[in-house]
Amino acid sequence: MNAPDNTSATPTAHADASVNDNRLVVAISSRALFNMEDGHELFERDGLDAYRAYQIERENELLTPGVAFPLVQKLLGLNALSGDVPPVEVILLSRNSGDTGLRIFNAIQHYKLNISRAAFTSGAPTSDYIAPFRADLFLSANAEDVGRALRAGVAAATILPSTAPQRSSEQLRIAFDGDAVIFGDEGERVSKEQGLDAFHRSESELWAEPLSGGPFRGFLSALHRLQAAFPAETSPIRTALVTARSAPAHKRVILTLRRWGVRIDEALFLGGRDKGPFLDAFGADIFFDDSPANVESARKHVATGHVPHGVSNS
């Protein structure tokens, strides 16, 4: 449970119909954007009243950046670029109340983040507001909200605590796992149920049949629309596929992306190698993977989002 409560108070939201349908919309929780772990631990230990008093007492104390803060900065920074670039919007979704959420908006103002739309739900799940805000991606420290979003068909990930250093590059770099993230989990099911040899045999036989789309296919397409506004060699966005697949299972992946008309700048077929050092070398601002083992390794090197989808999480 996110740090305030589990009461059923009426949610408050701010939305506007006058939006650009071609924009990229990212919804993010307050605990993913800012470091609010002290308050969350207090809530878990002492309850809602203590949490509310803590936040109001510290209303004018600045929150420090959280794991996803650098990602949000870079996403919003794309709006300052010239040319025919689809706009990016970041929406705040928080289980705080509007009262305790004032400290969050004070921090947003201090860091000059162009975030104006928000929903504060007073402890109720925030995922109900993802669809009305038309978000392409939802990032949260609350696994329950992430699971609800994924079941509703939205790309979503649980942002995990990380000791990864902030990246100095101004370029936005996002890395994705393949199976059960960009693609469906059919391949992983064959591998887990029948073994690696059966997986390679199946992929070789089906090489010309496109893979099904996974939960992040829509977000990848929206990101591609942004990339398409720039020449590949000067793009402010760089993407990478970082997968445990290796030859011959790589062929179907490449042909599927080609069929979708989606650009991936780097494709790393690691054949089961530890992904962390490769993500560090790529300089990912965030990496999305469905495997609990992979995300535990990755978050030592880069900011990481766990996608609780597919056979690895059943």
Side-chain angles (χ1 to χ4, degrees):
M1 168 98 192
N2 239 12
D5 64 13
N6 58 358
T7 61
S8 56
T10 302
T12 58
H14 173 210
D16 192 333
S18 58
V19 293
N20 185 323
D21 286 335
N22 201 35
R23 67 199 171 125
L24 174 70
V25 181
V26 175
I28 188 165
S29 74
S30 51
R31 281 177 57 211
L33 183 59
F34 296 115
N35 182 354
M36 302 184 69
E37 293 310 304
D38 287 349
H40 179 65
E41 290 172 6
L42 177 70
F43 166 75
E44 293 285 308
R45 184 179 67 248
D46 297 336
L48 173 63
D49 289 341
Y51 175 83
R52 180 181 291 117
Y54 176 89
Q55 293 297 356
I56 292 175
E57 181 182 344
R58 289 161 178 77
E59 201 163 87
N60 295 314
E61 291 183 15
L62 184 64
L63 291 166
T64 56
V67 175
F69 184 92
L71 172 71
V72 168
Q73 273 192 318
K74 289 187 177 183
L75 282 167
L76 291 173
L78 296 172
N79 290 323
L81 300 177
S82 60
D84 187 21
V85 183
V88 177
E89 181 171 13
V90 175
I91 307 290
L92 180 72
L93 299 183
S94 175
R95 288 197 180 203
N96 279 268
S97 65
D99 191 30
T100 59
L102 186 56
R103 187 183 183 196
I104 299 166
F105 260 110
N106 286 343
I108 287 172
Q109 183 178 18
H110 171 85
Y111 292 112
K112 296 180 171 60
L113 299 176
N114 187 14
I115 299 174
S116 60
R117 291 186 171 94
F120 293 99
T121 65
S122 296
T126 62
S127 51
D128 292 340
Y129 291 102
I130 296 172
F133 277 126
R134 290 182 280 182
D136 299 290
L137 174 68
F138 175 54
L139 304 176
S140 176
N142 187 291
E144 177 190 346
D145 284 339
V146 167
R148 286 166 59 98
L150 283 169
R151 289 190 293 273
V154 178
T158 308
I159 297 298
L160 302 175
S162 173
T163 57
Q166 184 172 343
R167 302 290 165 180
S168 58
S169 170
E170 293 184 1
Q171 188 178 51
L172 174 62
R173 294 189 165 218
I174 300 180
F176 303 87
D177 179 34
D179 295 287
V181 178
I182 294 177
F183 312 114
D185 72 337
E186 299 92 333
E188 282 194 353
R189 289 185 181 277
V190 172
S191 179
K192 287 184 177 294
E193 294 170 4
Q194 302 177 40
L196 193 57
D197 288 342
F199 166 76
H200 283 299
R201 185 166 57 252
S202 173
E203 291 299 300
S204 296
E205 293 171 353
L206 299 173
W207 67 269
E209 181 177 323
L211 289 158
S212 66
F216 274 65
R217 178 183 175 179
F219 172 62
L220 181 63
S221 296
L223 198 62
H224 175 77
R225 291 198 299 271
L226 279 175
Q227 287 184 297
F230 304 94
E233 62 274 12
T234 59
S235 176
I237 306 167
R238 192 166 184 83
T239 55
L241 171 68
V242 183
T243 174
R245 285 177 178 250
S246 60
H250 70 298
K251 188 172 185 178
R252 194 177 180 197
V253 166
I254 293 171
L255 294 178
T256 297
L257 292 172
R258 186 181 297 171
R259 176 77 65 88
W260 291 354
V262 170
R263 180 175 105 207
I264 286 282
D265 297 298
E266 300 189 24
L268 308 181
F269 298 97
L270 303 183
R273 294 286 296 274
D274 183 5
K275 295 181 180 182
F278 293 92
L279 292 163
D280 192 26
F282 172 67
D285 290 297
I286 195 165
F287 170 59
F288 298 108
D289 199 304
D290 67 300
S291 164
N294 285 343
V295 298
E296 281 302 312
S297 167
R299 71 189 183 101
K300 299 173 186 176
H301 300 269
V302 299
T304 302
H306 176 226
V307 182
H309 175 75
V311 66
S312 294
N313 296 279
S314 59

